[in-house]
mmCIF file with all atom_site columns, all heavy atoms in Angstrom:
data_model
loop_
_atom_site.group_PDB
_atom_site.id
_atom_site.type_symbol
_atom_site.label_atom_id
_atom_site.label_alt_id
_atom_site.label_comp_id
_atom_site.label_asym_id
_atom_site.label_entity_id
_atom_site.label_seq_id
_atom_site.pdbx_PDB_ins_code
_atom_site.Cartn_x
_atom_site.Cartn_y
_atom_site.Cartn_z
_atom_site.occupancy
_atom_site.B_iso_or_equiv
_atom_site.pdbx_formal_charge
_atom_site.auth_seq_id
_atom_site.auth_comp_id
_atom_site.auth_asym_id
_atom_site.auth_atom_id
_atom_site.pdbx_PDB_model_num
ATOM 1  N N   . PRO A 1 45 ? 111.039 105.912 82.363  1.00 85.00 ? 45 PRO A N   1
ATOM 2  C CA  . PRO A 1 45 ? 109.993 106.389 83.221  1.00 85.00 ? 45 PRO A CA  1
ATOM 3  C C   . PRO A 1 45 ? 110.034 105.834 84.623  1.00 85.00 ? 45 PRO A C   1
ATOM 4  O O   . PRO A 1 45 ? 109.381 106.332 85.517  1.00 85.00 ? 45 PRO A O   1
ATOM 5  C CB  . PRO A 1 45 ? 108.758 105.878 82.516  1.00 85.00 ? 45 PRO A CB  1
ATOM 6  C CG  . PRO A 1 45 ? 109.060 105.558 81.113  1.00 85.00 ? 45 PRO A CG  1
ATOM 7  C CD  . PRO A 1 45 ? 110.556 105.216 81.170  1.00 85.00 ? 45 PRO A CD  1
ATOM 8  N N   . ILE A 1 46 ? 110.779 104.748 84.759  1.00 88.00 ? 46 ILE A N   1
ATOM 9  C CA  . ILE A 1 46 ? 110.863 104.106 86.173  1.00 88.00 ? 46 ILE A CA  1
ATOM 10 C C   . ILE A 1 46 ? 112.204 104.359 86.801  1.00 88.00 ? 46 ILE A C   1
ATOM 11 O O   . ILE A 1 46 ? 112.525 103.678 87.720  1.00 88.00 ? 46 ILE A O   1
ATOM 12 C CB  . ILE A 1 46 ? 110.502 102.608 85.990  1.00 88.00 ? 46 ILE A CB  1
ATOM 13 C CG1 . ILE A 1 46 ? 111.466 101.867 85.055  1.00 88.00 ? 46 ILE A CG1 1
ATOM 14 C CG2 . ILE A 1 46 ? 109.077 102.489 85.645  1.00 88.00 ? 46 ILE A CG2 1
ATOM 15 C CD1 . ILE A 1 46 ? 111.317 100.311 85.053  1.00 88.00 ? 46 ILE A CD1 1
ATOM 16 N N   . SER A 1 47 ? 112.967 105.403 86.392  1.00 89.00 ? 47 SER A N   1
ATOM 17 C CA  . SER A 1 47 ? 114.236 105.723 87.059  1.00 89.00 ? 47 SER A CA  1
ATOM 18 C C   . SER A 1 47 ? 113.936 106.852 88.128  1.00 89.00 ? 47 SER A C   1
ATOM 19 O O   . SER A 1 47 ? 113.032 107.588 88.064  1.00 89.00 ? 47 SER A O   1
ATOM 20 C CB  . SER A 1 47 ? 115.169 106.355 86.015  1.00 89.00 ? 47 SER A CB  1
ATOM 21 O OG  . SER A 1 47 ? 115.285 105.439 84.917  1.00 89.00 ? 47 SER A OG  1
ATOM 22 N N   . GLY A 1 48 ? 114.748 106.850 89.114  1.00 93.00 ? 48 GLY A N   1
ATOM 23 C CA  . GLY A 1 48 ? 114.726 107.974 90.036  1.00 93.00 ? 48 GLY A CA  1
ATOM 24 C C   . GLY A 1 48 ? 114.152 107.675 91.353  1.00 93.00 ? 48 GLY A C   1
ATOM 25 O O   . GLY A 1 48 ? 114.147 106.530 91.891  1.00 93.00 ? 48 GLY A O   1
ATOM 26 N N   . ILE A 1 49 ? 113.857 108.733 92.087  1.00 97.00 ? 49 ILE A N   1
ATOM 27 C CA  . ILE A 1 49 ? 113.397 108.626 93.441  1.00 97.00 ? 49 ILE A CA  1
ATOM 28 C C   . ILE A 1 49 ? 111.901 109.045 93.567  1.00 97.00 ? 49 ILE A C   1
ATOM 29 O O   . ILE A 1 49 ? 111.441 110.013 92.928  1.00 97.00 ? 49 ILE A O   1
ATOM 30 C CB  . ILE A 1 49 ? 114.185 109.533 94.416  1.00 97.00 ? 49 ILE A CB  1
ATOM 31 C CG1 . ILE A 1 49 ? 115.642 109.124 94.367  1.00 97.00 ? 49 ILE A CG1 1
ATOM 32 C CG2 . ILE A 1 49 ? 113.524 109.623 95.777  1.00 97.00 ? 49 ILE A CG2 1
ATOM 33 C CD1 . ILE A 1 49 ? 116.607 109.965 95.118  1.00 97.00 ? 49 ILE A CD1 1
ATOM 34 N N   . PHE A 1 50 ? 111.085 108.173 94.220  1.00 98.00 ? 50 PHE A N   1
ATOM 35 C CA  . PHE A 1 50 ? 109.665 108.378 94.393  1.00 98.00 ? 50 PHE A CA  1
ATOM 36 C C   . PHE A 1 50 ? 109.390 108.518 95.842  1.00 98.00 ? 50 PHE A C   1
ATOM 37 O O   . PHE A 1 50 ? 109.775 107.624 96.672  1.00 98.00 ? 50 PHE A O   1
ATOM 38 C CB  . PHE A 1 50 ? 108.861 107.238 93.791  1.00 98.00 ? 50 PHE A CB  1
ATOM 39 C CG  . PHE A 1 50 ? 109.174 107.008 92.328  1.00 98.00 ? 50 PHE A CG  1
ATOM 40 C CD1 . PHE A 1 50 ? 110.274 106.287 91.932  1.00 98.00 ? 50 PHE A CD1 1
ATOM 41 C CD2 . PHE A 1 50 ? 108.396 107.581 91.265  1.00 98.00 ? 50 PHE A CD2 1
ATOM 42 C CE1 . PHE A 1 50 ? 110.586 106.094 90.579  1.00 98.00 ? 50 PHE A CE1 1
ATOM 43 C CE2 . PHE A 1 50 ? 108.676 107.437 89.989  1.00 98.00 ? 50 PHE A CE2 1
ATOM 44 C CZ  . PHE A 1 50 ? 109.775 106.728 89.605  1.00 98.00 ? 50 PHE A CZ  1
ATOM 45 N N   . LYS A 1 51 ? 108.799 109.710 96.266  1.00 98.00 ? 51 LYS A N   1
ATOM 46 C CA  . LYS A 1 51 ? 108.549 109.907 97.688  1.00 98.00 ? 51 LYS A CA  1
ATOM 47 C C   . LYS A 1 51 ? 107.109 109.934 98.027  1.00 98.00 ? 51 LYS A C   1
ATOM 48 O O   . LYS A 1 51 ? 106.287 110.439 97.339  1.00 98.00 ? 51 LYS A O   1
ATOM 49 C CB  . LYS A 1 51 ? 109.083 111.347 98.041  1.00 98.00 ? 51 LYS A CB  1
ATOM 50 C CG  . LYS A 1 51 ? 110.610 111.376 97.860  1.00 98.00 ? 51 LYS A CG  1
ATOM 51 C CD  . LYS A 1 51 ? 111.171 112.838 98.211  1.00 98.00 ? 51 LYS A CD  1
ATOM 52 C CE  . LYS A 1 51 ? 112.659 112.928 98.033  1.00 98.00 ? 51 LYS A CE  1
ATOM 53 N NZ  . LYS A 1 51 ? 113.171 114.159 98.446  1.00 98.00 ? 51 LYS A NZ  1
ATOM 54 N N   . GLY A 1 52 ? 106.745 109.301 99.191  1.00 98.00 ? 52 GLY A N   1
ATOM 55 C CA  . GLY A 1 52 ? 105.369 109.196 99.664  1.00 98.00 ? 52 GLY A CA  1
ATOM 56 C C   . GLY A 1 52 ? 104.691 107.918 99.266  1.00 98.00 ? 52 GLY A C   1
ATOM 57 O O   . GLY A 1 52 ? 104.961 107.429 98.197  1.00 98.00 ? 52 GLY A O   1
ATOM 58 N N   . LYS A 1 53 ? 103.856 107.430 100.169 1.00 98.00 ? 53 LYS A N   1
ATOM 59 C CA  . LYS A 1 53 ? 103.161 106.129 100.035 1.00 98.00 ? 53 LYS A CA  1
ATOM 60 C C   . LYS A 1 53 ? 102.426 106.204 98.641  1.00 98.00 ? 53 LYS A C   1
ATOM 61 O O   . LYS A 1 53 ? 102.539 105.204 97.823  1.00 98.00 ? 53 LYS A O   1
ATOM 62 C CB  . LYS A 1 53 ? 102.275 105.895 101.189 1.00 98.00 ? 53 LYS A CB  1
ATOM 63 C CG  . LYS A 1 53 ? 101.552 104.560 101.113 1.00 98.00 ? 53 LYS A CG  1
ATOM 64 C CD  . LYS A 1 53 ? 100.753 104.339 102.446 1.00 98.00 ? 53 LYS A CD  1
ATOM 65 C CE  . LYS A 1 53 ? 100.092 102.982 102.419 1.00 98.00 ? 53 LYS A CE  1
ATOM 66 N NZ  . LYS A 1 53 ? 99.484  102.618 103.724 1.00 98.00 ? 53 LYS A NZ  1
ATOM 67 N N   . GLN A 1 54 ? 101.626 107.147 98.355  1.00 98.00 ? 54 GLN A N   1
ATOM 68 C CA  . GLN A 1 54 ? 100.814 107.144 97.133  1.00 98.00 ? 54 GLN A CA  1
ATOM 69 C C   . GLN A 1 54 ? 101.627 107.153 95.815  1.00 98.00 ? 54 GLN A C   1
ATOM 70 O O   . GLN A 1 54 ? 101.377 106.458 94.916  1.00 98.00 ? 54 GLN A O   1
ATOM 71 C CB  . GLN A 1 54 ? 99.836  108.330 97.122  1.00 98.00 ? 54 GLN A CB  1
ATOM 72 C CG  . GLN A 1 54 ? 98.659  108.115 98.009  1.00 98.00 ? 54 GLN A CG  1
ATOM 73 C CD  . GLN A 1 54 ? 97.925  106.732 97.801  1.00 98.00 ? 54 GLN A CD  1
ATOM 74 O OE1 . GLN A 1 54 ? 97.826  106.020 98.804  1.00 98.00 ? 54 GLN A OE1 1
ATOM 75 N NE2 . GLN A 1 54 ? 97.562  106.475 96.600  1.00 98.00 ? 54 GLN A NE2 1
ATOM 76 N N   . ASN A 1 55 ? 102.790 107.863 95.928  1.00 97.00 ? 55 ASN A N   1
ATOM 77 C CA  . ASN A 1 55 ? 103.732 107.766 94.720  1.00 97.00 ? 55 ASN A CA  1
ATOM 78 C C   . ASN A 1 55 ? 104.404 106.453 94.524  1.00 97.00 ? 55 ASN A C   1
ATOM 79 O O   . ASN A 1 55 ? 104.522 106.022 93.434  1.00 97.00 ? 55 ASN A O   1
ATOM 80 C CB  . ASN A 1 55 ? 104.761 108.877 94.776  1.00 97.00 ? 55 ASN A CB  1
ATOM 81 C CG  . ASN A 1 55 ? 104.242 110.267 94.609  1.00 97.00 ? 55 ASN A CG  1
ATOM 82 O OD1 . ASN A 1 55 ? 103.271 110.432 93.821  1.00 97.00 ? 55 ASN A OD1 1
ATOM 83 N ND2 . ASN A 1 55 ? 104.756 111.310 95.283  1.00 97.00 ? 55 ASN A ND2 1
ATOM 84 N N   . VAL A 1 56 ? 104.711 105.787 95.615  1.00 98.00 ? 56 VAL A N   1
ATOM 85 C CA  . VAL A 1 56 ? 105.350 104.376 95.538  1.00 98.00 ? 56 VAL A CA  1
ATOM 86 C C   . VAL A 1 56 ? 104.277 103.471 95.043  1.00 98.00 ? 56 VAL A C   1
ATOM 87 O O   . VAL A 1 56 ? 104.506 102.645 94.134  1.00 98.00 ? 56 VAL A O   1
ATOM 88 C CB  . VAL A 1 56 ? 105.893 103.987 96.839  1.00 98.00 ? 56 VAL A CB  1
ATOM 89 C CG1 . VAL A 1 56 ? 106.459 102.595 96.765  1.00 98.00 ? 56 VAL A CG1 1
ATOM 90 C CG2 . VAL A 1 56 ? 107.138 104.938 97.248  1.00 98.00 ? 56 VAL A CG2 1
#
Side-chain angles (χ1 to χ4, degrees):
I46 57 174
S47 306
I49 297 174
F50 301 83
K51 295 180 180 182
K53 184 175 184 172
Q54 284 310 125
N55 287 328
V56 174

